[in-house]
Amino acid sequence: MGAPFTLYVDSQFLSPYALSAYVALAEKKLPFEVRLIDLEAGEQRMQPYQCRALTARVPALTHGDFNLTESTAIAEYLEDLYPAPACTALYPAQPRERARARQLQAWLRSDLAALRQERPTEGVFHGEAGQPLSDAGHAAAAKLIQVASALIGAGQASLFDVWSIADLDLAVALRRLWQDELPESLRAYVEIQWQRPSVRQWLDHNAAARA
């Protein structure tokens, strides 16, 4: 496997983007060390972390003398280094499906700001009910459900013929509505993603950090 991997994540295991990078490594079955960054203390803006994390955010991946931040960049780097069939694919093989997966990832990270603010990741991982959604929150939730419903039908376990990292990212977004009204087909889809062994490993870390 060459140089070892180190993944820097938030100390509370609450970042959905750190989760995405963690699952990417776990699905590839690559050995890696997890190191914690205390975001509340501002450790992401301190040395030596800021020196290795160009954007001063989590997650950050260290591979030998190479450092990389941003979860989608990390996933694509791992996919290029360890492609299928030797390792589990993180993206579909077909160009159009791969483009759709990347489109979905980019959209989930750049839109729906009101939903991310009003349904923070504590609710995603701990199931805590949030306050009633604002008008902007309702609009974002409706848009998310509309897009997800167009891509996921009843009984559908993944966006494409096989699982991709975009399935995880979509499931995390939908989990923000877990205490709200969510179509049963989407709820079942999220449950399937939440039971993947790689995701369960992260959830175990999250539970330990909360204890």
Side-chain angles (χ1 to χ4, degrees):
M1 289 295 182
F5 291 98
T6 300
L7 182 66
Y8 295 84
V9 307
D10 61 296
S11 58
Q12 297 301 307
F13 290 88
L14 286 173
S15 167
Y17 311 118
L19 164 62
S20 188
Y22 181 98
V23 167
L25 283 160
E27 291 288 341
K28 289 288 186 186
K29 294 181 171 54
L30 299 170
F32 64 100
E33 178 186 357
V34 173
R35 294 191 183 177
L36 307 182
I37 299 299
D38 189 338
L39 300 184
E40 291 187 1
E43 191 176 354
Q44 71 275 21
R45 296 185 295 273
M46 302 176 186
Q47 300 299 344
Y49 184 73
Q50 193 175 44
C51 183
R52 68 169 57 92
L54 183 63
T55 54
R57 305 203 296 181
V58 295
L61 181 73
T62 294
H63 183 212
D65 61 355
F66 181 62
N67 301 302
L68 188 65
T69 56
E70 307 307 313
S71 57
T72 53
I74 291 170
E76 291 179 13
Y77 176 68
L78 296 174
E79 187 81 328
D80 289 340
L81 281 181
Y82 302 102
C87 291
T88 300
L90 299 177
Y91 291 96
Q94 295 302 314
R96 291 187 177 183
E97 291 185 347
R98 182 178 290 241
R100 182 71 71 203
R102 288 172 168 165
Q103 175 195 21
L104 188 60
Q105 286 186 298
W107 174 67
L108 291 170
R109 286 160 171 75
S110 61
D111 201 353
L112 312 177
L115 184 60
R116 291 198 303 273
Q117 181 177 2
E118 297 173 26
R119 291 290 184 272
T121 49
E122 285 83 357
V124 170
F125 297 118
H126 303 159
E128 298 170 359
Q131 297 297 317
L133 291 170
S134 66
D135 289 345
H138 275 296
K143 187 175 184 180
L144 174 60
I145 290 173
Q146 178 185 12
V147 170
S149 297
L151 297 171
I152 302 295
Q156 193 170 331
S158 58
L159 288 159
F160 312 106
D161 289 341
V162 295
W163 177 88
S164 76
I165 195 69
D167 283 301
L168 170 68
D169 291 341
L170 180 57
V172 169
L174 290 169
R175 283 279 304 189
R176 296 184 189 276
L177 297 174
W178 205 245
Q179 305 301 325
D180 301 271
E181 293 185 10
L182 194 63
E184 283 305 313
S185 59
L186 298 182
R187 193 174 290 274
Y189 164 80
V190 172
E191 287 283 15
I192 291 171
Q193 312 313 317
W194 231 237
Q195 295 306 315
R196 288 188 75 84
S198 57
V199 179
R200 301 309 304 179
Q201 290 174 26
W202 174 273
L203 295 177
D204 287 344
H205 286 302
N206 175 270
R210 192 184 187 197

